[in-house]
Amino acid sequence: MSDSRATTATPGPRADGPQDDPPLLEVRGVTKTFGSGRRRLTALDGVDVRVGRGQTLGLVGESGCGKSTLARVLLGLERPDAGTVRFDGTDPFALRGKELLAWRRRVQMVFQDPFASLNARMSAADLIGEPWRTHRDVVPDAKARDRRIRELLNLVGLRESDGRRYPGEFSGGQRQRIGIARALALDPDLIVCDEPVSALDLSVQAQVLNVLSDLRTRLGVTYVFISHDLSVVRYISDRVTVMYLGKVVEHGDTDDVFESPQHPYTAALMSAAPVLKPGGDSRREEIQLQGEIPSPFDIPSGCRFRTRCPHAQDLCATQAPPLAVRETADGARSHTALCHFPLRTESSWG
């Protein structure tokens, strides 16, 4: 069974907008720890994230860097120890009762594994309409419910008749479309996508990514897209945030970060990713990092990447790195790297 009805959409415009525009989501100085005493793990350490309306932010980094913890904070599932989270100017952790329920409608999630995230005993129609059991006021009656389910099935490239079928009758890509339709059922402003295509074959990944891009163009939905696959992140994201051991080490416009990475860790990630060079080599010169990722229970002093960095100097062991910033010519975007010695040191960096 194949996903032959894939949309042929292309990604939306890479428009971050002026930094003065109010973002949909803004995270400042967020820290989150787990455990107690000497066995205290710092999952997030002073994380700053900003996502504009209708934008897709790609979140990348190795396992254990804090991506999933940050996602849980954005979804309101984990309360940060310090720092602030603002969604459309409101602190979601200050909300209670009906206000909290109304906020939860605005933030939804697409899960990693479409084979595990769908109840095999529920039809596609019931799965898509499941959020309405909690948010009863969204769809007023059965007729409206049925009509909305048909609309959502069409929106993600499935047939209306597919609503009567069960997850076991669908391919992996079709199951993920059902998961996307379920996330859209409450008309959210923000969807957190946690590795949404990593469990799918390459050809099906492209189809699901096209669906997500098409929905952003048509509905104006905002995404935080978590992935370890850099080619996927480059395709779908406007901006990229790179994390390492709970810290944001680089952030900027997608093309800027991919074509001119400033942090040595980002450069190493990019060097291992395939690049499109017709008739030429499909890889850059790969940067081999030495050593293993330090334990999050025992983070190195100074720069936490210094134990694996080929450019580390004595200063890196004693002082936490500053945030180097490069503004674009129009001042609309900035490219930042948390490094004593950014890989490019032109005067535009400071």
Side-chain angles (χ1 to χ4, degrees):
M1 190 177 300
S2 64
D3 291 307
S4 59
R5 294 177 298 281
T7 166
T8 57
T10 56
R14 294 179 181 276
D16 193 20
Q19 291 296 299
D20 290 338
D21 287 354
L24 176 66
L25 175 69
E26 189 165 28
V27 173
R28 288 187 175 275
V30 162
T31 296
K32 180 64 183 178
T33 60
F34 298 96
S36 59
R38 294 182 178 179
R39 296 297 293 173
R40 195 160 191 83
L41 183 151
T42 302
L44 300 174
D45 187 0
V47 169
D48 293 340
V49 170
R50 178 188 174 103
V51 190
R53 297 173 188 276
Q55 182 188 85
T56 298
L57 175 70
L59 196 60
V60 301
E62 295 168 293
S63 296
C65 71
K67 302 188 304 292
S68 295
T69 301
L70 179 56
R72 291 180 62 83
V73 169
L74 300 183
L75 291 162
L77 302 176
E78 294 283 359
R79 179 181 290 271
D81 300 335
T84 60
V85 177
R86 291 289 183 271
F87 183 89
D88 203 10
T90 298
D91 178 3
F93 295 100
L95 301 177
R96 298 291 184 273
K98 291 183 179 180
E99 289 183 339
L100 178 60
L101 190 64
W103 173 78
R104 291 198 181 280
R105 282 179 51 181
R106 303 181 64 187
V107 183
Q108 295 296 304
M109 184 169 187
V110 175
F111 296 92
Q112 177 177 1
D113 187 354
F115 296 91
S117 61
L118 302 180
N119 189 331
R121 297 183 179 182
M122 297 175 67
S123 69
D126 289 338
L127 287 164
I128 293 170
E130 188 176 17
W132 300 330
R133 295 183 179 183
T134 300
H135 302 271
R136 299 178 182 274
D137 59 328
V138 175
V139 181
D141 54 50
K143 286 185 178 180
R145 177 184 182 276
D146 292 341
R147 182 173 61 252
R148 182 59 178 152
I149 287 173
R150 291 195 298 270
E151 291 173 352
L152 289 167
L153 286 167
N154 287 326
L155 199 58
V156 297
L158 294 173
R159 296 184 295 253
E160 293 180 7
S161 60
D162 287 332
R164 298 189 294 270
R165 299 164 63 194
Y166 289 79
E169 301 176 68
F170 293 102
S171 68
Q174 290 171 326
R175 293 187 195 195
Q176 196 60 295
R177 292 171 191 242
I178 295 170
I180 294 169
R182 179 173 61 181
L184 290 170
L186 298 176
D187 296 319
D189 297 292
L190 173 70
I191 298 179
V192 178
C193 301
D194 186 8
E195 300 272 10
V197 297
S198 63
L200 306 176
D201 293 337
L202 288 177
S203 61
V204 180
Q205 286 185 15
Q207 296 167 8
V208 172
L209 291 173
N210 279 341
V211 169
L212 291 169
S213 295
D214 180 45
L215 292 172
R216 186 181 73 162
T217 301
R218 296 170 65 178
L219 304 178
V221 66
T222 302
Y223 296 119
V224 171
F225 193 96
I226 301 170
S227 180
H228 66 278
D229 189 326
L230 296 176
S231 61
V232 167
V233 170
R234 183 163 195 177
Y235 175 78
I236 201 167
S237 302
D238 301 298
R239 306 276 283 172
V240 175
T241 291
V242 182
M243 295 186 66
Y244 184 81
L245 277 180
K247 278 279 192 186
V248 172
V249 296
E250 187 154 1
H251 174 78
D253 177 82
T254 298
D255 288 338
D256 205 17
V257 171
F258 272 80
E259 293 172 9
S260 184
Q262 305 301 314
H263 196 281
Y265 175 64
T266 307
L269 290 181
M270 302 304 177
S271 74
V275 294
L276 297 177
K277 289 185 178 180
D281 191 354
S282 62
R283 285 184 178 272
R284 304 175 179 89
E285 182 179 351
E286 187 168 352
I287 300 171
Q288 297 287 344
L289 295 178
Q290 303 299 317
E292 298 182 358
I293 303 175
S295 167
F297 292 101
D298 187 19
I299 295 175
S301 62
C303 173
R304 60 192 61 201
F305 182 61
R306 66 177 174 80
T307 58
R308 303 172 71 198
C309 181
H311 306 285
Q313 300 184 30
D314 292 343
L315 176 67
C316 303
T318 59
Q319 295 184 26
L323 188 68
V325 179
R326 182 173 67 83
E327 295 291 342
T328 57
D330 59 5
R333 299 184 180 92
S334 63
H335 183 170
T336 62
L338 195 68
C339 186
H340 285 292
F341 309 104
L343 297 183
R344 292 179 180 268
T345 56
E346 296 95 332
S347 59
S348 57
W349 282 83

